[in-house]
Amino acid sequence: MRKLKYIFTLLVIPGLPALVQAQEGNKESAVGEFMRSTERSYVVIAVILTILIGLFLYLVRLEKKISRLEKDNGQ
């Protein structure tokens, strides 16, 4: 279970700087403005979250299988 927490931490830490940066007034790039106007950024975020949740669930399932195999092999 510790390995799983370690892997999850490695997945979350790279995204933290993007969350904690303050926005600077009304300065917005043309790309950002375009993405928000067409609401494509929400689609991109949804796809990224779906992929990350899928990876996380896969790792949890794999960890359970490995633990069960180690337990069965040890007996």
Side-chain angles (χ1 to χ4, degrees), residues 24-38:
E24 297 180 12
N26 290 332
K27 290 183 181 179
E28 187 172 348
S29 69
V31 173
E33 187 176 323
F34 173 73
M35 292 287 276
R36 280 192 249 308
S37 68
T38 59

Side-chain angles (χ1 to χ4, degrees), residues 3-52:
K3 290 180 185 177
L4 185 61
K5 288 181 183 178
Y6 179 72
I7 291 171
F8 181 71
T9 303
L10 287 177
L11 290 174
V12 171
I13 287 178
L16 287 178
L19 294 174
V20 296
Q21 286 181 349
Q23 295 180 359
E24 297 180 12
N26 290 332
K27 290 183 181 179
E28 187 172 348
S29 69
V31 173
E33 187 176 323
F34 173 73
M35 292 287 276
R36 280 192 249 308
S37 68
T38 59
E39 296 184 358
R40 291 184 185 183
S41 60
Y42 298 118
V43 174
V44 171
I45 291 170
V47 169
I48 290 172
L49 285 176
T50 303
I51 291 170
L52 288 177

Side-chain angles (χ1 to χ4, degrees), residues 42-67:
Y42 298 118
V43 174
V44 171
I45 291 170
V47 169
I48 290 172
L49 285 176
T50 303
I51 291 170
L52 288 177
I53 289 170
L55 284 173
F56 180 73
L57 292 174
Y58 173 73
L59 288 175
V60 168
R61 196 173 121 218
L62 189 63
E63 179 68 26
K64 287 181 182 179
K65 285 183 178 183
I66 291 172
S67 297

